[in-house]
Amino acid sequence: ANFTSEKDESWFARNFTPSEIEYCRGQPNPAASFAGKWSAKEAVLKSLSSLAASSAQSLGQIPSNILQGPGAPLIDIEIVSPPGGGAPQVTLHGQAERWNRYLNLASIQLSISHTGSHALSLAMARSHPVNTIMQTRAAMQSVRSVADLNAMVKGNEAGSK
């Protein structure tokens, strides 16, 4: 797919970091790479949201809406592809980095699979134990996300008419 309109460029700039855009455009199938990174961002966002909800008892009240909706800043969740291959890594920036500290994250593990313009991702966020009682049951949440980049861009076009 060739996404070159001004609306498309704006959408990419709102959702992907410059290094993610450069990486995806340099791949043999850019649409599959963008769909993979998008689904990974969604899976990470949902795993953080699930972790926040399940950790509310031990961490106190967590605003449940900070990780949801169209205002969720996906650009703050960067999916990094290691140069020599291997599992993708997650780097959090801005608001997502604040969630990282608030949730006391130990790790986010991520897997991405894609074909054509479709992708499937699985993210698992795990927090450090909050106290000795929690040491035996550190919270883990995993979420999968499926993305079709063509449908996302078409939805963006329909929403802006």
Side-chain angles (χ1 to χ4, degrees):
N2 186 13
F3 304 110
T4 57
S5 77
E6 200 171 298
K7 286 182 194 173
D8 293 343
E9 292 303 319
S10 172
W11 183 81
F12 285 107
R14 283 192 320 270
N15 292 286
F16 298 96
T17 65
S19 61
E20 288 172 321
I21 293 170
E22 180 182 355
Y23 172 84
C24 291
R25 289 199 170 138
Q27 296 306 300
N29 186 344
S33 294
F34 277 115
K37 289 198 184 288
W38 174 271
S39 73
K41 289 169 178 268
E42 284 283 322
V44 168
L45 189 68
K46 291 173 183 174
S47 68
L48 292 174
S49 181
S50 295
L51 183 62
S54 68
S55 299
Q57 289 179 341
S58 60
L59 294 176
Q61 183 59 33
I62 297 172
S64 59
N65 63 346
I66 64 171
L67 303 168
Q68 300 172 0
L74 293 182
I75 197 165
D76 286 352
I77 300 168
E78 183 175 11
I79 309 302
V80 180
S81 303
Q89 304 296 309
V90 178
T91 302
L92 302 176
H93 306 282
Q95 187 175 354
E97 173 57 28
R98 288 189 294 281
W99 302 331
N100 175 16
R101 289 190 305 272
Y102 189 76
L103 293 170
N104 196 25
L105 289 180
S107 65
I108 300 174
Q109 295 172 309
L110 181 63
S111 177
I112 306 171
S113 182
H114 51 72
T115 180
S117 64
H118 291 79
L120 171 73
S121 296
L122 173 71
M124 183 172 63
R126 185 175 67 84
S127 66
H128 289 286
V130 176
N131 57 40
T132 55
I133 295 171
M134 292 293 293
Q135 286 179 350
T136 57
R137 51 186 194 128
M140 287 192 291
Q141 292 296 324
S142 63
V143 177
R144 72 181 170 95
S145 179
V146 179
D148 176 350
L149 187 64
N150 292 318
M152 286 184 276
V153 171
K154 286 179 187 173
N156 181 51
E157 291 170 357
S160 61
K161 289 183 181 177

